[in-house]
mmCIF file of all heavy atoms in Angstrom:
data_model
loop_
_atom_site.group_PDB
_atom_site.id
_atom_site.type_symbol
_atom_site.label_atom_id
_atom_site.label_comp_id
_atom_site.label_asym_id
_atom_site.label_seq_id
_atom_site.Cartn_x
_atom_site.Cartn_y
_atom_site.Cartn_z
ATOM 1 N N SER P 29 15.581 5.212 4.669
ATOM 2 C CA SER P 29 16.996 5.345 4.318
ATOM 3 C C SER P 29 17.632 3.965 4.299
ATOM 4 O O SER P 29 17.200 3.057 5.033
ATOM 5 C CB SER P 29 17.712 6.255 5.317
ATOM 6 O OG SER P 29 17.668 5.691 6.615
ATOM 7 N N PRO P 30 18.652 3.765 3.450
ATOM 8 C CA PRO P 30 19.048 4.682 2.388
ATOM 9 C C PRO P 30 18.055 4.632 1.233
ATOM 10 O O PRO P 30 17.130 3.821 1.252
ATOM 11 C CB PRO P 30 20.411 4.117 1.976
ATOM 12 C CG PRO P 30 20.261 2.632 2.195
ATOM 13 C CD PRO P 30 19.401 2.500 3.430
ATOM 14 N N GLU P 31 18.248 5.466 0.230
ATOM 15 C CA GLU P 31 17.398 5.408 -0.967
ATOM 16 C C GLU P 31 17.709 4.159 -1.780
ATOM 17 O O GLU P 31 16.821 3.600 -2.420
ATOM 18 C CB GLU P 31 17.618 6.656 -1.820
ATOM 19 C CG GLU P 31 17.032 7.912 -1.219
ATOM 20 C CD GLU P 31 17.098 9.094 -2.172
ATOM 21 O OE1 GLU P 31 17.500 8.901 -3.334
ATOM 22 O OE2 GLU P 31 16.760 10.214 -1.751
ATOM 23 N N SER P 32 18.972 3.754 -1.774
ATOM 24 C CA SER P 32 19.351 2.534 -2.472
ATOM 25 C C SER P 32 20.454 1.818 -1.707
ATOM 26 O O SER P 32 21.187 2.436 -0.917
ATOM 27 C CB SER P 32 19.808 2.833 -3.903
ATOM 28 O OG SER P 32 20.979 3.606 -3.893
ATOM 29 N N LEU P 33 20.540 0.526 -1.952
ATOM 30 C CA LEU P 33 21.417 -0.333 -1.166
ATOM 31 C C LEU P 33 21.943 -1.434 -2.078
ATOM 32 O O LEU P 33 21.158 -2.078 -2.790
ATOM 33 C CB LEU P 33 20.573 -0.938 -0.038
ATOM 34 C CG LEU P 33 21.197 -1.745 1.077
ATOM 35 C CD1 LEU P 33 22.244 -0.921 1.804
ATOM 36 C CD2 LEU P 33 20.107 -2.191 2.036
ATOM 37 N N THR P 34 23.238 -1.632 -2.090
ATOM 38 C CA THR P 34 23.831 -2.698 -2.891
ATOM 39 C C THR P 34 24.511 -3.680 -1.952
ATOM 40 O O THR P 34 25.401 -3.295 -1.173
ATOM 41 C CB THR P 34 24.859 -2.127 -3.889
ATOM 42 O OG1 THR P 34 24.227 -1.129 -4.689
ATOM 43 C CG2 THR P 34 25.377 -3.227 -4.800
ATOM 44 N N VAL P 35 24.081 -4.926 -2.026
ATOM 45 C CA VAL P 35 24.541 -5.944 -1.072
ATOM 46 C C VAL P 35 24.939 -7.204 -1.838
ATOM 47 O O VAL P 35 24.293 -7.559 -2.833
ATOM 48 C CB VAL P 35 23.407 -6.275 -0.073
ATOM 49 C CG1 VAL P 35 23.827 -7.374 0.891
ATOM 50 C CG2 VAL P 35 23.001 -5.013 0.693
ATOM 51 N N SER P 36 25.962 -7.879 -1.361
ATOM 52 C CA SER P 36 26.384 -9.137 -1.984
ATOM 53 C C SER P 36 25.406 -10.255 -1.650
ATOM 54 O O SER P 36 24.762 -10.227 -0.581
ATOM 55 C CB SER P 36 27.783 -9.530 -1.501
ATOM 56 O OG SER P 36 28.729 -8.546 -1.829
ATOM 57 N N LEU P 37 25.308 -11.208 -2.542
ATOM 58 C CA LEU P 37 24.472 -12.382 -2.282
ATOM 59 C C LEU P 37 24.894 -13.053 -0.983
ATOM 60 O O LEU P 37 26.088 -13.230 -0.711
ATOM 61 C CB LEU P 37 24.576 -13.377 -3.433
ATOM 62 C CG LEU P 37 23.871 -12.996 -4.728
ATOM 63 C CD1 LEU P 37 24.222 -13.969 -5.847
ATOM 64 C CD2 LEU P 37 22.362 -12.941 -4.530
ATOM 65 N N GLY P 38 23.907 -13.387 -0.170
ATOM 66 C CA GLY P 38 24.183 -14.047 1.103
ATOM 67 C C GLY P 38 24.479 -13.102 2.252
ATOM 68 O O GLY P 38 24.542 -13.540 3.404
ATOM 69 N N GLU P 39 24.645 -11.827 1.939
ATOM 70 C CA GLU P 39 24.929 -10.847 2.990
ATOM 71 C C GLU P 39 23.633 -10.231 3.518
ATOM 72 O O GLU P 39 22.557 -10.394 2.949
ATOM 73 C CB GLU P 39 25.859 -9.757 2.463
ATOM 74 C CG GLU P 39 27.256 -10.271 2.085
ATOM 75 C CD GLU P 39 27.968 -10.891 3.284
ATOM 76 O OE1 GLU P 39 28.107 -10.199 4.321
ATOM 77 O OE2 GLU P 39 28.381 -12.070 3.184
ATOM 78 N N ARG P 40 23.772 -9.479 4.597
ATOM 79 C CA ARG P 40 22.613 -8.863 5.260
ATOM 80 C C ARG P 40 22.299 -7.516 4.629
ATOM 81 O O ARG P 40 23.200 -6.730 4.335
ATOM 82 C CB ARG P 40 22.916 -8.688 6.745
ATOM 83 C CG ARG P 40 21.827 -8.006 7.559
ATOM 84 C CD ARG P 40 22.281 -7.807 8.986
ATOM 85 N NE ARG P 40 22.608 -9.089 9.609
ATOM 86 C CZ ARG P 40 21.796 -9.741 10.428
ATOM 87 N NH1 ARG P 40 20.608 -9.241 10.709
ATOM 88 N NH2 ARG P 40 22.172 -10.879 10.956
ATOM 89 N N ALA P 41 21.010 -7.269 4.444
ATOM 90 C CA ALA P 41 20.534 -5.968 3.977
ATOM 91 C C ALA P 41 19.658 -5.359 5.070
ATOM 92 O O ALA P 41 18.782 -6.041 5.618
ATOM 93 C CB ALA P 41 19.734 -6.115 2.694
ATOM 94 N N THR P 42 19.900 -4.097 5.372
ATOM 95 C CA THR P 42 19.154 -3.407 6.429
ATOM 96 C C THR P 42 18.547 -2.128 5.873
ATOM 97 O O THR P 42 19.257 -1.278 5.333
ATOM 98 C CB THR P 42 20.066 -3.085 7.621
ATOM 99 O OG1 THR P 42 20.633 -4.292 8.123
ATOM 100 C CG2 THR P 42 19.279 -2.399 8.728
ATOM 101 N N ILE P 43 17.240 -2.003 6.023
ATOM 102 C CA ILE P 43 16.502 -0.849 5.515
ATOM 103 C C ILE P 43 15.845 -0.153 6.701
ATOM 104 O O ILE P 43 15.230 -0.810 7.551
ATOM 105 C CB ILE P 43 15.431 -1.305 4.509
ATOM 106 C CG1 ILE P 43 16.101 -2.011 3.314
ATOM 107 C CG2 ILE P 43 14.579 -0.133 4.049
ATOM 108 C CD1 ILE P 43 15.128 -2.785 2.450
ATOM 109 N N ASN P 44 15.957 1.153 6.724
ATOM 110 C CA ASN P 44 15.439 1.932 7.843
ATOM 111 C C ASN P 44 14.216 2.750 7.450
ATOM 112 O O ASN P 44 14.085 3.193 6.301
ATOM 113 C CB ASN P 44 16.525 2.876 8.362
ATOM 114 C CG ASN P 44 17.766 2.116 8.792
ATOM 115 O OD1 ASN P 44 17.713 1.247 9.648
ATOM 116 N ND2 ASN P 44 18.903 2.430 8.172
ATOM 117 N N CYS P 45 13.357 2.948 8.425
ATOM 118 C CA CYS P 45 12.136 3.725 8.226
ATOM 119 C C CYS P 45 11.874 4.514 9.497
ATOM 120 O O CYS P 45 11.868 3.939 10.598
ATOM 121 C CB CYS P 45 10.971 2.784 7.927
ATOM 122 S SG CYS P 45 9.344 3.577 7.807
ATOM 123 N N LYS P 46 11.673 5.802 9.355
ATOM 124 C CA LYS P 46 11.433 6.656 10.521
ATOM 125 C C LYS P 46 10.106 7.375 10.337
ATOM 126 O O LYS P 46 9.838 7.965 9.281
ATOM 127 C CB LYS P 46 12.555 7.680 10.669
ATOM 128 C CG LYS P 46 12.472 8.516 11.935
ATOM 129 C CD LYS P 46 13.672 9.437 12.068
ATOM 130 C CE LYS P 46 13.640 10.215 13.363
ATOM 131 N NZ LYS P 46 13.807 9.334 14.551
ATOM 132 N N SER P 47 9.270 7.331 11.361
ATOM 133 C CA SER P 47 7.989 8.020 11.330
ATOM 134 C C SER P 47 8.110 9.377 12.010
ATOM 135 O O SER P 47 8.869 9.539 12.971
ATOM 136 C CB SER P 47 6.899 7.185 11.995
ATOM 137 O OG SER P 47 7.238 6.869 13.323
ATOM 138 N N SER P 48 7.347 10.362 11.519
ATOM 139 C CA SER P 48 7.439 11.727 12.063
ATOM 140 C C SER P 48 6.786 11.856 13.434
ATOM 141 O O SER P 48 6.993 12.849 14.134
ATOM 142 C CB SER P 48 6.806 12.717 11.078
ATOM 143 O OG SER P 48 5.440 12.424 10.889
ATOM 144 N N GLN P 49 5.991 10.846 13.799
ATOM 145 C CA GLN P 49 5.431 10.779 15.147
ATOM 146 C C GLN P 49 5.210 9.311 15.487
ATOM 147 O O GLN P 49 5.291 8.438 14.610
ATOM 148 C CB GLN P 49 4.122 11.566 15.247
ATOM 149 C CG GLN P 49 3.006 11.049 14.385
ATOM 150 C CD GLN P 49 1.815 11.984 14.376
ATOM 151 O OE1 GLN P 49 1.839 13.040 13.744
ATOM 152 N NE2 GLN P 49 0.764 11.593 15.077
ATOM 153 N N SER P 50 4.971 9.052 16.743
ATOM 154 C CA SER P 50 4.826 7.672 17.170
ATOM 155 C C SER P 50 3.682 6.977 16.449
ATOM 156 O O SER P 50 2.632 7.573 16.196
ATOM 157 C CB SER P 50 4.575 7.616 18.675
ATOM 158 O OG SER P 50 4.321 6.292 19.072
ATOM 159 N N VAL P 51 3.909 5.705 16.096
ATOM 160 C CA VAL P 51 2.850 4.871 15.525
ATOM 161 C C VAL P 51 2.522 3.722 16.474
ATOM 162 O O VAL P 51 1.977 2.695 16.079
ATOM 163 C CB VAL P 51 3.238 4.340 14.119
ATOM 164 C CG1 VAL P 51 3.379 5.503 13.141
ATOM 165 C CG2 VAL P 51 4.515 3.509 14.183
ATOM 166 N N LEU P 52 2.846 3.914 17.747
ATOM 167 C CA LEU P 52 2.537 2.940 18.790
ATOM 168 C C LEU P 52 1.186 3.258 19.411
ATOM 169 O O LEU P 52 0.970 4.365 19.903
ATOM 170 C CB LEU P 52 3.615 2.967 19.870
ATOM 171 C CG LEU P 52 3.340 2.112 21.110
ATOM 172 C CD1 LEU P 52 3.326 0.624 20.745
ATOM 173 C CD2 LEU P 52 4.376 2.401 22.199
ATOM 174 N N TYR P 53 0.287 2.288 19.365
ATOM 175 C CA TYR P 53 -1.022 2.451 19.986
ATOM 176 C C TYR P 53 -0.938 1.862 21.390
ATOM 177 O O TYR P 53 -0.763 0.657 21.554
ATOM 178 C CB TYR P 53 -2.086 1.755 19.146
ATOM 179 C CG TYR P 53 -3.507 2.012 19.546
ATOM 180 C CD1 TYR P 53 -3.929 3.269 19.972
ATOM 181 C CD2 TYR P 53 -4.453 0.992 19.503
ATOM 182 C CE1 TYR P 53 -5.234 3.497 20.343
ATOM 183 C CE2 TYR P 53 -5.770 1.206 19.879
ATOM 184 C CZ TYR P 53 -6.158 2.466 20.289
ATOM 185 O OH TYR P 53 -7.455 2.695 20.661
ATOM 186 N N SER P 54 -1.059 2.719 22.375
ATOM 187 C CA SER P 54 -0.789 2.309 23.757
ATOM 188 C C SER P 54 -1.807 1.297 24.286
ATOM 189 O O SER P 54 -1.486 0.497 25.167
ATOM 190 C CB SER P 54 -0.764 3.535 24.667
ATOM 191 O OG SER P 54 -1.976 4.240 24.571
ATOM 192 N N VAL P 55 -3.002 1.287 23.727
ATOM 193 C CA VAL P 55 -4.043 0.391 24.232
ATOM 194 C C VAL P 55 -3.653 -1.070 24.016
ATOM 195 O O VAL P 55 -3.882 -1.919 24.872
ATOM 196 C CB VAL P 55 -5.397 0.690 23.564
ATOM 197 C CG1 VAL P 55 -6.423 -0.374 23.918
ATOM 198 C CG2 VAL P 55 -5.885 2.072 23.963
ATOM 199 N N ASN P 56 -3.077 -1.376 22.859
ATOM 200 C CA ASN P 56 -2.687 -2.766 22.572
ATOM 201 C C ASN P 56 -1.174 -2.950 22.474
ATOM 202 O O ASN P 56 -0.702 -4.058 22.219
ATOM 203 C CB ASN P 56 -3.358 -3.269 21.291
ATOM 204 C CG ASN P 56 -3.035 -2.413 20.072
ATOM 205 O OD1 ASN P 56 -2.134 -1.579 20.118
ATOM 206 N ND2 ASN P 56 -3.758 -2.620 18.984
ATOM 207 N N ASN P 57 -0.423 -1.873 22.673
ATOM 208 C CA ASN P 57 1.034 -1.917 22.628
ATOM 209 C C ASN P 57 1.556 -2.467 21.302
ATOM 210 O O ASN P 57 2.536 -3.230 21.257
ATOM 211 C CB ASN P 57 1.589 -2.752 23.800
ATOM 212 C CG ASN P 57 3.033 -2.390 24.119
ATOM 213 O OD1 ASN P 57 3.425 -1.222 24.033
ATOM 214 N ND2 ASN P 57 3.827 -3.377 24.469
ATOM 215 N N LYS P 58 0.905 -2.067 20.226
ATOM 216 C CA LYS P 58 1.328 -2.515 18.896
ATOM 217 C C LYS P 58 1.773 -1.314 18.054
ATOM 218 O O LYS P 58 1.198 -0.227 18.142
ATOM 219 C CB LYS P 58 0.183 -3.230 18.171
ATOM 220 C CG LYS P 58 -0.138 -4.617 18.720
ATOM 221 C CD LYS P 58 -1.259 -5.247 17.919
ATOM 222 C CE LYS P 58 -1.614 -6.630 18.428
ATOM 223 N NZ LYS P 58 -0.615 -7.627 18.042
ATOM 224 N N TYR P 59 2.789 -1.578 17.225
ATOM 225 C CA TYR P 59 3.242 -0.571 16.281
ATOM 226 C C TYR P 59 2.484 -0.751 14.968
ATOM 227 O O TYR P 59 2.493 -1.833 14.375
ATOM 228 C CB TYR P 59 4.748 -0.699 16.043
ATOM 229 C CG TYR P 59 5.574 -0.246 17.220
ATOM 230 C CD1 TYR P 59 6.142 -1.173 18.089
ATOM 231 C CD2 TYR P 59 5.768 1.106 17.462
ATOM 232 C CE1 TYR P 59 6.898 -0.759 19.177
ATOM 233 C CE2 TYR P 59 6.526 1.531 18.546
ATOM 234 C CZ TYR P 59 7.081 0.598 19.398
ATOM 235 O OH TYR P 59 7.821 1.010 20.480
ATOM 236 N N TYR P 60 1.861 0.322 14.510
ATOM 237 C CA TYR P 60 1.008 0.274 13.338
ATOM 238 C C TYR P 60 1.842 0.556 12.078
ATOM 239 O O TYR P 60 1.719 1.601 11.423
ATOM 240 C CB TYR P 60 -0.134 1.283 13.487
ATOM 241 C CG TYR P 60 -1.254 0.784 14.368
ATOM 242 C CD1 TYR P 60 -0.988 0.175 15.597
ATOM 243 C CD2 TYR P 60 -2.579 0.900 13.984
ATOM 244 C CE1 TYR P 60 -2.008 -0.302 16.398
ATOM 245 C CE2 TYR P 60 -3.616 0.429 14.777
ATOM 246 C CZ TYR P 60 -3.311 -0.178 15.985
ATOM 247 O OH TYR P 60 -4.320 -0.653 16.771
ATOM 248 N N LEU P 61 2.690 -0.428 11.755
ATOM 249 C CA LEU P 61 3.625 -0.266 10.661
ATOM 250 C C LEU P 61 3.728 -1.552 9.845
ATOM 251 O O LEU P 61 3.810 -2.648 10.405
ATOM 252 C CB LEU P 61 5.016 0.095 11.184
ATOM 253 C CG LEU P 61 6.011 0.355 10.066
ATOM 254 C CD1 LEU P 61 6.405 1.823 9.988
ATOM 255 C CD2 LEU P 61 7.239 -0.519 10.175
ATOM 256 N N ALA P 62 3.745 -1.408 8.523
ATOM 257 C CA ALA P 62 3.866 -2.538 7.612
ATOM 258 C C ALA P 62 5.010 -2.314 6.631
ATOM 259 O O ALA P 62 5.435 -1.174 6.408
ATOM 260 C CB ALA P 62 2.569 -2.733 6.831
ATOM 261 N N TRP P 63 5.482 -3.424 6.062
ATOM 262 C CA TRP P 63 6.534 -3.389 5.044
ATOM 263 C C TRP P 63 6.064 -4.128 3.793
ATOM 264 O O TRP P 63 5.400 -5.164 3.895
ATOM 265 C CB TRP P 63 7.805 -4.066 5.550
ATOM 266 C CG TRP P 63 8.580 -3.311 6.582
ATOM 267 C CD1 TRP P 63 8.518 -3.474 7.938
ATOM 268 C CD2 TRP P 63 9.560 -2.291 6.355
ATOM 269 N NE1 TRP P 63 9.389 -2.617 8.561
ATOM 270 C CE2 TRP P 63 10.050 -1.879 7.607
ATOM 271 C CE3 TRP P 63 10.083 -1.683 5.200
ATOM 272 C CZ2 TRP P 63 11.030 -0.896 7.747
ATOM 273 C CZ3 TRP P 63 11.055 -0.708 5.339
ATOM 274 C CH2 TRP P 63 11.517 -0.325 6.600
ATOM 275 N N TYR P 64 6.464 -3.602 2.636
ATOM 276 C CA TYR P 64 6.096 -4.188 1.345
ATOM 277 C C TYR P 64 7.345 -4.337 0.478
ATOM 278 O O TYR P 64 8.302 -3.577 0.597
ATOM 279 C CB TYR P 64 5.099 -3.301 0.597
ATOM 280 C CG TYR P 64 3.821 -3.061 1.361
ATOM 281 C CD1 TYR P 64 3.735 -2.027 2.285
ATOM 282 C CD2 TYR P 64 2.714 -3.881 1.186
ATOM 283 C CE1 TYR P 64 2.584 -1.805 3.012
ATOM 284 C CE2 TYR P 64 1.551 -3.666 1.907
ATOM 285 C CZ TYR P 64 1.496 -2.625 2.819
ATOM 286 O OH TYR P 64 0.354 -2.415 3.534
ATOM 287 N N GLN P 65 7.245 -5.307 -0.427
ATOM 288 C CA GLN P 65 8.283 -5.532 -1.438
ATOM 289 C C GLN P 65 7.648 -5.330 -2.810
ATOM 290 O O GLN P 65 6.591 -5.895 -3.081
ATOM 291 C CB GLN P 65 8.789 -6.975 -1.328
ATOM 292 C CG GLN P 65 9.764 -7.416 -2.393
ATOM 293 C CD GLN P 65 9.939 -8.932 -2.385
ATOM 294 O OE1 GLN P 65 9.013 -9.694 -2.612
ATOM 295 N NE2 GLN P 65 11.151 -9.380 -2.099
ATOM 296 N N GLN P 66 8.290 -4.537 -3.651
ATOM 297 C CA GLN P 66 7.798 -4.355 -5.015
ATOM 298 C C GLN P 66 8.896 -4.713 -6.007
ATOM 299 O O GLN P 66 9.883 -3.983 -6.139
ATOM 300 C CB GLN P 66 7.319 -2.922 -5.267
ATOM 301 C CG GLN P 66 6.669 -2.764 -6.637
ATOM 302 C CD GLN P 66 6.116 -1.375 -6.876
ATOM 303 O OE1 GLN P 66 6.628 -0.372 -6.368
ATOM 304 N NE2 GLN P 66 5.039 -1.299 -7.655
ATOM 305 N N LYS P 67 8.715 -5.838 -6.665
ATOM 306 C CA LYS P 67 9.659 -6.250 -7.699
ATOM 307 C C LYS P 67 9.352 -5.513 -8.997
ATOM 308 O O LYS P 67 8.221 -5.050 -9.203
ATOM 309 C CB LYS P 67 9.590 -7.766 -7.898
ATOM 310 C CG LYS P 67 10.051 -8.545 -6.677
ATOM 311 C CD LYS P 67 10.033 -10.032 -6.923
ATOM 312 C CE LYS P 67 10.540 -10.784 -5.702
ATOM 313 N NZ LYS P 67 10.546 -12.245 -5.904
ATOM 314 N N PRO P 68 10.352 -5.388 -9.874
ATOM 315 C CA PRO P 68 10.150 -4.642 -11.126
ATOM 316 C C PRO P 68 8.938 -5.139 -11.906
ATOM 317 O O PRO P 68 8.779 -6.347 -12.136
ATOM 318 C CB PRO P 68 11.455 -4.895 -11.880
ATOM 319 C CG PRO P 68 12.468 -5.135 -10.813
ATOM 320 C CD PRO P 68 11.735 -5.866 -9.729
#
Side-chain angles (χ1 to χ4, degrees):
Chain P
S29 62
E31 288 188 6
S32 65
L33 188 58
T34 304
V35 177
S36 300
L37 287 172
E39 295 300 304
R40 178 184 301 260
T42 302
I43 299 166
N44 302 302
C45 174
K46 186 176 183 67
S47 57
S48 62
Q49 63 188 75
S50 175
V51 296
L52 173 66
Y53 189 39
S54 57
V55 171
N56 58 13
N57 202 37
K58 287 181 180 285
Y59 288 102
Y60 280 46
L61 183 111
W63 287 96
Y64 301 86
Q65 174 194 62
Q66 186 177 31
K67 295 183 178 180

